[in-house]
Amino acid sequence: MFRKLATLCIAVCALVGCGPSYHWSKSHPLYKQPPYSALSISGTQNAFVLTRSKWFAKKLEIAPESAQVQVTSFCERAFLDEMRRAYPALKDVPDATINAYPEESQKLDDRIFIKGHFPEQGIAVKNADGSTPALVLIIHEFIIGTDLKRELYYDYDLIHKENEEKPTSKNLSAIFSYTLWDNERQRPLFSAVEEIQQPIVKLSMDDMKSLIATAARKIRISLYEGVQK
Amino acid sequence: MKRAMAFILALLALAATSLAKDVYFNKHPVLWENADILIWTPDAQSPVDPRELCLSLKRNNSGAGEPKCRLFGEWERDSVAMHYARWLQKNMDPALDEEYLHIRHPALMAKVQSLEDNIVLYLAESGDNINVAIFDETSTNPKVAGSIAKNADKVALADKIASTFFSGKTKRRLSKEERQKLQDEPDDLYQEVPKFRAWAGVAFGYSQAHIPLTPYTWYKSHVESEVRNYRITKDSVSLWNFIDDSDPLLNAYLGGIWYGFIGLELQYRFAKHRVKTDDDDPVYDELDHWDFYQHEIGLNALFSRTYNIKSWLDISLLLILGFQYSFFVEDIALNDDVKEPSRAYKVRIRFEEAYKGGVIGGAAQFVFKKHYGIGIRTGISTRGRDMYVDPTPEAAAAPTIIGGSTIDWFVGLGLEYHWSL
């Protein structure tokens, strides 16, 4: 009996506790309701970054000098379109409004920190049209590349290590960090770092679009799942 | 009866929840005697009268001394502080602990850290309640958060605040010079492990063949054996067949530890053992005394861990592993009137010239004021034949070496002097 219990304990320990595990999201204890139709978005103008832009330029047959600008602006548009589909009353808070505040880091896990700009305590930010949103989705970073791993970008222990491996291109991937901001009480309701992978067959702008659509969907699902019961 | 019990339990539970609701969390800020209490509120008017609050503090806490209370105008005129004050008004909640109420603005963080020994009492109306928080210089989170019911009676309200948030022991406030001195002083518990620490010590102890927590039957035949006719015993595997095993001992040692972790120690042990002559044997009538002096010289490897308990006390725990050489020096004398010793005397038992052995044990050193130590040590020490002699074909036929396996348990208490480089 005792031996069985001990084996079980060891097995559970091996599966759950003792392996390296991360918490990739964090909810505020008072996050009770996900956004429905009304939502404001901020940060998209600066968040998108394309890694391996030369490789992408070659595959997508665009000029390497303008690949970064072309792809990121395409992705931003695709992302906003997708979000507008989910949240019909989507508005935007200008990036400059949020970027005026100092950059802070937020702890998700013992080893995972995200960096971003957050509005000051006691000050509600305004939409571009002058209205005051209840909830703002702040996109901190949106990295597009191939075979990216979020540990290498967000694990405090790993980010300073040089990655010796040659870049591979099996999957089209995106890593993005965001915070759902309660603009009325000026607190982060839900923060997360997500990673999506999509196998590459023949890369085209449509693939980029579907990657972005998956990302937008993923954010929506996470916002629902993050609600504290 | 049962119903009454249930009712009382329900009442108690209700009291507990209402009490728990009053204070959301309390990280016990220092309550100063003769405190300066600064009342900070985002509302147009403070819910309590500063003078009433001071009187309530004096009434409720006999250690409060002469507190001074005033509105914290400096922060009420500061826009960053007021932003946070309004933010806190909306965000205080029983479900949130202090990290969720953290001050984020660097300017306000700096202000909190320069509060010195003033206590900031935050009061903000929130529905039918008044939210209360306390800040001090040690944290940019509120130290205490809670709420109390609104009350038009300002005296009752002040009393409630004083009893809920300012009960407890107070501390004397330090003068400016004392605060400065305290800040400049190095932390008592912060110190580097010395590169090398050495000690010399003298210990008095006791040893016996019987190792505690083991059955006595293992040693019975050795311990209870006696020597007949100067050389005859039941067996001769242990020296304890011939000489007394339970005797006081004297220990002198000189040791050192590198980086508080690994070390070496040279040690000397001395004891006097009486030969267990059989009193019924008339051959010993000629004998005045027959003793052996045990001299042991050993070298120990040490593994250590030091704990800084107080500024004046360090405790080191040591694991001792060592080897040693033992010499047994005979001291025998016949009575004065004996002219010619017996034949048995002349062919009496002889021990080996030297025995090799090992020590395993543990020690604790209590070092006071970095220099004066008291050491306690215990362990098991062995001595046997020379293990490095090549076996010969005649080995099986050769007589057993006397004292081939002589084991004892020892314990000692020593006085030590320590110094470190």
Side-chain angles (χ1 to χ4, degrees):
Chain A
M1 180 63 202
F2 178 76
R3 263 180 75 179
K4 259 189 185 170
L5 200 71
T7 353
L8 189 74
C9 281
I10 292 166
V12 167
C13 181
L15 284 172
V16 185
C18 310
S21 69
Y22 299 108
H23 293 105
W24 289 107
S25 64
K26 188 179 182 184
S27 298
H28 193 278
L30 298 178
Y31 177 37
K32 300 288 183 200
Q33 208 164 25
Y36 286 108
S37 71
L39 181 68
S40 282
I41 202 162
S42 183
T44 51
Q45 283 164 29
N46 297 305
F48 287 87
V49 172
L50 182 69
T51 64
R52 302 191 71 196
S53 54
K54 269 187 192 159
W55 184 87
F56 274 98
K58 210 171 129 196
K59 289 278 173 182
L60 296 169
E61 291 165 359
I62 45 181
E65 304 84 61
S66 64
Q68 181 71 243
V69 178
Q70 274 195 48
V71 174
T72 53
S73 63
F74 173 83
C75 288
E76 189 203 340
R77 267 197 315 281
F79 182 74
L80 287 174
D81 286 348
E82 194 60 37
M83 290 304 279
R84 207 162 279 130
R85 206 163 295 153
Y87 304 99
L90 191 76
K91 288 182 178 172
D92 79 303
V93 175
D95 279 20
T97 314
I98 305 262
N99 283 344
Y101 298 105
E103 194 175 46
E104 292 171 48
S105 61
Q106 212 184 353
K107 186 175 170 182
L108 300 189
D109 186 75
D110 279 345
R111 291 160 70 173
I112 309 295
F113 294 84
I114 57 172
K115 272 190 167 182
H117 300 269
F118 300 95
E120 191 187 324
Q121 287 165 317
I123 294 179
V125 292
K126 287 203 165 80
N127 285 325
D129 63 9
S131 57
T132 307
L135 295 171
V136 183
L137 181 69
I138 305 170
I139 309 287
H140 306 300
E141 272 186 304
F142 201 115
I143 304 161
I144 301 160
T146 58
D147 297 333
L148 300 175
K149 284 199 188 67
R150 54 183 166 178
E151 293 85 42
L152 299 181
Y153 285 81
Y154 287 94
D155 183 337
Y156 202 73
D157 287 348
L158 299 178
I159 45 178
H160 299 298
K161 278 193 191 145
E162 288 282 326
N163 197 3
E164 298 272 317
E165 289 167 41
K166 271 200 143 185
T168 56
S169 42
K170 281 189 193 128
N171 290 306
L172 185 62
S173 42
I175 298 172
F176 44 99
S177 60
Y178 57 89
T179 296
L180 181 68
W181 184 256
D182 181 341
N183 195 37
E184 280 165 359
R185 291 169 191 263
Q186 295 92 37
R187 59 192 179 194
L189 292 176
F190 180 78
S191 296
V193 176
E194 312 262 14
E195 172 191 310
I196 49 173
Q197 307 283 355
Q198 189 175 297
I200 298 174
V201 184
K202 187 188 173 299
L203 195 66
S204 69
M205 274 305 197
D206 282 346
D207 291 329
M208 303 299 285
K209 199 167 181 176
S210 88
L211 178 80
I212 298 300
T214 314
R217 237 184 347 266
K218 185 111 188 185
I219 292 177
R220 255 185 90 195
I221 293 166
S222 296
L223 289 181
Y224 275 99
E225 287 175 348
V227 169
Q228 295 294 297
K229 307 251 152 42
Chain B
M1 189 61 200
K2 249 184 179 172
R3 224 187 241 177
M5 279 289 280
F7 180 71
I8 290 168
L9 275 178
L11 254 183
L12 276 176
L14 203 73
T17 49
S18 68
L19 259 179
K21 242 191 138 186
D22 268 355
V23 179
Y24 305 158
F25 58 81
N26 190 345
K27 301 286 162 197
H28 302 286
V30 178
L31 299 177
W32 299 109
E33 194 188 331
N34 306 331
D36 269 319
I37 293 173
L38 308 170
I39 298 167
W40 178 38
T41 171
D43 301 324
Q45 207 168 12
S46 165
V48 293
D49 187 322
R51 256 203 5 207
E52 285 303 335
L53 181 67
C54 261
L55 292 173
S56 294
L57 285 177
K58 280 206 273 189
R59 267 202 301 282
N60 270 280
N61 195 335
S62 54
E66 289 293 328
K68 287 194 275 299
C69 308
R70 65 176 176 88
L71 294 175
F72 200 5
E74 297 93 306
W75 280 20
E76 289 182 3
R77 287 189 293 274
D78 185 283
S79 64
V80 172
M82 279 326 267
H83 285 156
Y84 176 77
R86 283 202 200 91
W87 179 87
L88 193 61
Q89 194 170 21
K90 284 188 281 191
N91 274 277
M92 260 170 74
D93 189 285
L96 299 183
D97 58 12
E98 86 272 20
E99 64 175 295
Y100 286 102
L101 303 177
H102 183 67
I103 296 173
R104 280 173 42 226
H105 201 290
L108 188 57
M109 279 160 100
K111 279 204 167 77
V112 170
Q113 281 155 1
S114 60
L115 277 175
E116 299 197 337
D117 53 357
N118 297 313
I119 297 171
V120 174
L121 174 66
Y122 170 90
L123 299 170
E125 284 186 27
S126 161
D128 288 336
N129 291 318
I130 293 169
N131 282 340
V132 183
I134 293 173
F135 292 86
D136 69 15
E137 63 173 339
T138 59
S139 172
T140 49
N141 303 332
K143 293 287 262 194
V144 183
S147 79
I148 50 169
K150 231 189 235 176
N151 194 338
D153 181 352
K154 292 218 166 184
V155 178
L157 190 68
D159 273 345
K160 179 86 176 140
I161 291 174
S163 64
T164 314
F165 298 98
F166 289 93
S167 58
K169 237 175 127 49
T170 55
K171 260 173 99 175
R172 186 181 68 86
R173 272 173 91 168
L174 301 178
S175 70
K176 259 211 166 88
E177 292 77 26
E178 282 173 316
R179 275 177 65 87
Q180 188 61 41
K181 189 161 176 288
L182 205 66
Q183 263 174 2
D184 295 345
E185 260 177 15
D187 190 340
D188 277 346
L189 292 177
Y190 173 80
Q191 55 189 345
E192 285 179 21
V193 175
K195 244 188 200 163
F196 181 72
R197 177 168 63 88
W199 61 83
V202 180
F204 299 92
Y206 167 81
S207 71
Q208 65 178 35
H210 181 196
I211 299 168
L213 308 176
T214 55
Y216 180 65
T217 49
W218 290 3
Y219 318 94
K220 194 170 187 270
S221 75
H222 303 313
V223 171
E224 291 179 2
S225 152
E226 289 190 327
V227 184
R228 280 188 295 117
N229 207 27
Y230 285 105
R231 62 175 301 120
I232 301 166
T233 55
K234 274 188 197 152
D235 67 69
S236 62
V237 70
S238 167
L239 290 179
W240 306 136
N241 282 306
F242 303 93
I243 55 180
D244 261 339
D245 63 296
S246 53
D247 280 311
L249 62 88
L250 177 74
N251 218 195
Y253 48 89
L254 186 71
I257 285 276
W258 282 270
Y259 298 100
F261 167 59
I262 198 162
L264 278 178
E265 189 181 59
L266 196 67
Q267 73 142 348
Y268 167 75
R269 170 172 160 180
F270 170 79
K272 181 183 167 187
H273 302 285
R274 190 186 63 83
V275 178
K276 297 183 287 186
T277 49
D278 186 353
D279 292 339
D280 296 338
D281 196 336
V283 77
Y284 295 125
D285 289 348
E286 58 179 354
L287 196 64
D288 182 56
H289 65 270
W290 189 14
D291 301 311
F292 279 91
Y293 294 109
Q294 176 191 9
H295 300 275
E296 278 179 347
I297 292 171
L299 190 66
N300 298 330
L302 306 172
F303 298 94
S304 159
R305 173 94 207 247
T306 301
Y307 300 90
N308 305 122
I309 306 295
K310 286 269 172 348
S311 62
W312 45 269
L313 172 64
D314 298 318
I315 298 181
S316 301
L317 301 180
L318 305 170
L319 174 70
I320 301 169
L321 294 169
F323 72 91
Q324 62 187 12
Y325 285 96
S326 306
F327 306 92
F328 286 87
V329 179
E330 191 182 39
D331 174 26
I332 190 166
L334 296 170
N335 288 328
D336 289 343
D337 54 345
V338 179
K339 294 278 178 302
E340 181 65 20
S342 62
R343 211 186 88 77
Y345 173 89
K346 285 176 184 161
V347 294
R348 66 182 184 274
I349 191 86
R350 306 253 179 228
F351 292 166
E352 299 282 307
E353 262 180 25
Y355 294 93
K356 263 189 186 170
V359 180
I360 180 165
Q365 296 176 324
F366 299 83
V367 185
F368 299 92
K369 305 244 173 196
K370 307 275 169 224
H371 287 298
Y372 310 101
I374 292 177
I376 303 169
R377 57 179 59 206
T378 182
I380 295 166
S381 148
T382 71
R383 42 205 75 69
R385 63 208 170 96
D386 194 337
M387 303 302 275
Y388 299 102
V389 175
D390 288 332
T392 58
E394 297 89 50
T400 347
I401 289 174
I402 293 168
S405 164
T406 307
I407 302 172
D408 68 41
W409 166 74
F410 63 90
V411 60
L413 180 72
L415 297 174
E416 300 169 353
Y417 184 78
H418 292 249
W419 62 96
S420 41
L421 304 177

